[in-house]
Amino acid sequence: SQTIHQWPATLVQPVGSPLSLECTVEGTSNPNLYWYRQAAGRGLQLLFYSVGIGQISSEVPQNLSASRPQDRQFILSSKKLLLSDSGFYLCACSKSETQYFGPGTRLLVL
Amino acid sequence: QQQVKQSPQSLIVQKGGISIINCAYENTAFDYFPWYQQFPGKGPALLIAIRPDVSEKKEGRFTISFNKSAKQFSLHIMDSQPGDSATYFCAASKGDYKLSFGAGTTVTVRA
């Protein structure tokens, strides 16, 4: 079965600084990959998803971007963080309808 | 626009009681309905899932009931335990491998 790694686990960044969150997947090949954001006490908002290397679909316009440089690597980036970018960022993967989530990265922008 | 509406937002149940969470959807193209359990600070974990050709699915103390004509489905947690205290999300998919999530229900089980 697949294992999803995310790092860092926690990140505190100043407004205007860049961001790079990484997600890697073990135990499967050519998965669909997803980035979600979860605000405190809220539901999951799909940010990006990818069906293959270099193929990224954006679900909502925002200050973030995503890249998939390798089959099992998914990166979430920003050039300049906003206060509203704070939240819990989750990476997920799937080979079918079922999505499996990573442990998440908690981002606090001050 | 939220495609899956979940209620209640939170509930409190005594140990040994039954927790019931309801979800409703509009898009009849949805054909896969999973439930996820999330503990604080952790990623959601798949709990149980159902397809529209089945009206009920049970796994241990967790049961999904599905009403296709009403476009509703629900999660029942029988004999609720303090370890079941978590946030539960329903979701739906229409075969494009993207999930539409409900807003979540925080369940608190009192000992």
Side-chain angles (χ1 to χ4, degrees), chain A residues 97, chain B residues 27-33 50-52 92-96:
Chain A
E97 299 98 333
Chain B
N27 191 338
T28 55
F30 286 144
D31 61 1
Y32 175 71
F33 302 87
I50 198 168
R51 295 192 183 278
S93 170
K94 56 182 187 292
D96 57 357

Side-chain angles (χ1 to χ4, degrees), chain B:
Chain B
Q1 182 183 2
Q2 196 161 32
Q3 298 195 57
V4 180
K5 296 184 179 180
Q6 183 172 348
S7 62
Q9 186 175 7
S10 63
L11 67 90
I12 299 173
V13 62
Q14 292 296 120
K15 180 181 176 182
I18 302 173
S19 303
I20 301 175
I21 306 169
N22 300 299
C23 287
Y25 64 96
E26 287 298 325
N27 191 338
T28 55
F30 286 144
D31 61 1
Y32 175 71
F33 302 87
W35 284 88
Y36 285 84
Q37 179 189 56
Q38 185 180 29
F39 293 106
K42 306 294 185 182
L46 179 68
L47 191 61
I48 187 173
I50 198 168
R51 295 192 183 278
D53 55 346
V54 177
S55 61
E56 185 175 284
K57 183 175 182 179
K58 183 176 181 180
E59 289 186 7
R61 295 183 292 106
F62 299 91
T63 300
I64 300 178
S65 297
F66 187 85
N67 187 329
K68 187 174 181 179
S69 60
K71 293 185 286 186
Q72 296 176 348
F73 58 110
S74 60
L75 176 70
H76 292 61
I77 307 174
M78 313 300 286
D79 187 26
S80 296
Q81 299 297 312
D84 297 332
S85 296
T87 299
Y88 294 81
F89 293 95
C90 63
S93 170
K94 56 182 187 292
D96 57 357
Y97 298 177
K98 290 194 293 182
L99 289 172
S100 296
F101 283 90
T105 296
T106 300
V107 174
T108 303
V109 182
R110 294 266 167 85

Side-chain angles (χ1 to χ4, degrees), chain A residues 25-86:
Chain A
V25 179
E26 292 180 358
T28 187
S29 60
N30 196 29
N32 296 322
L33 296 175
Y34 310 81
W35 277 113
Y36 289 86
R37 178 169 58 203
Q38 187 175 30
R42 304 288 294 276
L44 295 103
Q45 179 187 33
L46 178 63
L47 302 176
F48 301 95
Y49 80 99
S50 171
V51 298
I53 296 175
Q55 301 179 62
I56 309 294
S57 296
S58 174
E59 291 296 301
V60 292
Q62 59 206 319
N63 184 41
L64 302 169
S65 62
S67 62
R68 185 170 177 176
Q70 299 180 46
D71 180 46
R72 290 172 289 177
Q73 183 185 30
F74 205 22
I75 297 172
L76 184 69
S77 304
S78 174
K79 293 181 179 179
K80 289 185 177 181
L81 283 169
L82 306 173
L83 287 174
S84 58
D85 291 324
S86 293

